[in-house]
Amino acid sequence: MPIKVKEVLSAAAEMAGMSELAKEIESGGAKEETAELLVRCFNLIENEVALDYFPLTAKERLPVHNSEIAYASLSHTPINIVSVTSVSGMGIRFDLLTDSIGLREAVSEAIVEYAFAPVAKKLGDASDFEGKISARLLSLGVAAEFMLARGLFSEASVFDKKYREALRAAAVVRHRLALRARRWA
């Protein structure tokens, strides 16, 4: 289930001790400059998470013209091309050109897996993140950025520390604990 921007901003305001602002965000009655600042903070945090910690990836099947796939044909603006495979699943070697991906093999279609940056969101939009990245994690980052923008440096530092801890916790791979079978001799 996608995370709503409004939900993250409301939670960030609540964490920052601004429950009136949280209610205004939920009802859509927040002051325009405050709402714009919060949305800008959200976009900064979403970009930071996507570019530095948990890349957003997409996989698309695209036509190939003259052994090239134009970047413009991808649904998102790519940051990193992870892999290019043929429709049958075989890897294809490729070169990154200025405006396209140059394939070293002649195929008519290819599957491109790539990382991309999220587009700027508005108050009514949904985040590109799901799963490990929770609304709480994003709201901690938004609260830190919001406090920093308002000149509340010590409060921003506290929220930034919690945000960084939440990022580390999201990166931890959790395995099921299992006890070895005991043998009685």
Side-chain angles (χ1 to χ4, degrees), residues 86-129:
S86 66
V87 178
S88 63
M90 298 296 293
I92 299 174
R93 294 187 313 157
F94 61 93
D95 296 310
L96 298 177
L97 308 174
T98 55
D99 59 349
S100 64
I101 304 166
L103 305 181
R104 294 185 182 176
E105 296 176 29
V107 292
S108 60
E109 280 188 320
I111 298 170
V112 179
E113 183 176 3
Y114 62 98
F116 64 92
V119 295
K121 305 292 186 297
K122 295 180 182 155
L123 191 61
D125 293 342
S127 173
D128 291 322
F129 285 109

Side-chain angles (χ1 to χ4, degrees), residues 50-51 55-60 62 69-84 94 96-101 112-119:
L51 298 178
L56 294 167
T57 58
K59 206 177 223 185
E60 295 182 40
L62 300 164
I69 300 172
Y71 294 132
S73 65
L74 298 170
S75 298
H76 308 281
T77 304
I79 297 172
N80 181 31
I81 304 299
V82 177
S83 68
V84 178
F94 61 93
L96 298 177
L97 308 174
T98 55
D99 59 349
S100 64
I101 304 166
V112 179
E113 183 176 3
Y114 62 98
F116 64 92
V119 295

Side-chain angles (χ1 to χ4, degrees), residues 2-94:
I3 301 166
K4 304 283 186 209
V5 173
K6 187 184 283 192
E7 172 188 331
V8 171
L9 300 184
S10 177
E14 194 71 46
M15 286 178 186
M18 303 176 190
S19 45
E20 267 309 303
L21 178 58
K23 290 176 187 171
E24 290 172 2
I25 291 168
E26 285 294 323
S27 66
K31 293 179 185 172
E32 190 170 327
E33 62 271 2
T34 305
E36 284 179 13
L37 176 60
L38 281 166
V39 170
R40 195 168 38 249
C41 291
F42 175 86
N43 286 324
L44 285 170
I45 292 300
E46 189 180 44
N47 266 327
E48 178 182 348
V49 173
L51 298 178
D52 298 341
Y53 300 101
F54 297 95
L56 294 167
T57 58
K59 206 177 223 185
E60 295 182 40
R61 184 175 177 160
L62 300 164
V64 177
H65 300 289
N66 298 328
S67 295
E68 291 185 359
I69 300 172
Y71 294 132
S73 65
L74 298 170
S75 298
H76 308 281
T77 304
I79 297 172
N80 181 31
I81 304 299
V82 177
S83 68
V84 178
T85 56
S86 66
V87 178
S88 63
M90 298 296 293
I92 299 174
R93 294 187 313 157
F94 61 93

